[in-house]
């Protein structure tokens, strides 16, 4: 098949293909990110199995493929002829945000803020307190202080102000 007929009536194929190419991924790399074989990925893009029959992927496969190329899983399900409500970010097994978004947000942080975020991620992944990883982590400001999860967080744009002293320490 050539040209516009390449995908026939399988709209999921061009959707995944365009998202994969936009992220500069090969089929093999995209398949690995989705925990699929390269053959399975090829079938998702072509809409056909090796025997010529149409591919009928499970919702979980379509969701994994879409997330592997940072595409909208609900839209991918719809294009595959499946119920888009099958995608529930809280149950998808992967973050509802993309790695690209996380990278972009991390790039906007200062070095001390990035260290604090990494320490937080370590506590989540390893289920341990942040202190053993880096006791001197600072968030911002002129003073070098240890991270204290109970301390109030001030806006970085706010003027420094004197904290009222309290009798209850």
């Amino acid at each position: 098949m050539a040209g516009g007929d390449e995908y026939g009536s399988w709209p999921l194929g061009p959707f995944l293909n365009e998202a994969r190419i936009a992220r500069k991924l090969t089929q093999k790399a995209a398949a690995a990110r989705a925990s699929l074989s390269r053959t399975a990925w090829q079938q998702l893009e072509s809409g056909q199995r090796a025997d010529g029959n149409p591919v009928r992927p499970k919702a979980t496969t379509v969701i994994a493929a879409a997330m592997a190329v940072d595409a909208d899983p609900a839209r991918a399900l719809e294009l595959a002829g499946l119920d888009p409500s099958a995608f529930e970010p809280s149950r998808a097994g992967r973050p509802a945000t993309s790695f690209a978004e996380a990278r972009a947000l991390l790039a906007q942080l200062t070095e001390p803020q990035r260290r604090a975020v990494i320490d937080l991620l370590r506590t989540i992944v390893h289920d341990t307190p942040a202190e053993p990883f880096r006791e001197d982590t600072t968030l911002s400001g002129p003073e070098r202080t240890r991270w204290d999860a109970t301390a109030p967080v001030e806006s970085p744009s706010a003027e420094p102000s004197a904290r009222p002293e309290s009798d209850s320490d």
Side-chain angles (χ1 to χ4, degrees), residues 18 27 29 33 37 70 73 97 101 117 119 125-126 134 152 165:
E18 289 169 16
Q27 287 183 334
R33 288 181 70 176
S37 68
D70 296 328
T97 186
E101 181 183 10
V117 169
D119 281 347
V125 171
H126 300 295
R134 183 170 283 120
E165 293 186 24

Side-chain angles (χ1 to χ4, degrees), residues 29-113:
R33 288 181 70 176
S35 298
L36 299 172
S37 68
R38 182 169 181 242
T39 302
W41 188 274
Q42 288 173 323
Q43 291 175 0
L44 284 174
E45 283 194 15
S46 71
Q48 290 189 332
R49 296 185 333 195
D51 62 8
N53 288 319
V55 67
R56 300 279 183 239
K58 295 179 184 178
T60 54
T61 301
V62 173
I63 291 167
M67 293 183 86
V69 293
D70 296 328
D72 179 16
R75 179 74 178 132
L77 288 166
E78 183 180 325
L79 292 172
L82 299 168
D83 181 7
S85 68
F87 175 65
E88 296 180 41
S90 63
R91 295 184 184 185
R94 291 189 56 187
T97 186
S98 69
F99 286 110
E101 181 183 10
R103 269 191 303 274
L105 290 171
L106 282 170
Q108 295 175 25
L109 300 177
T110 65
E111 182 60 27
Q113 289 170 329

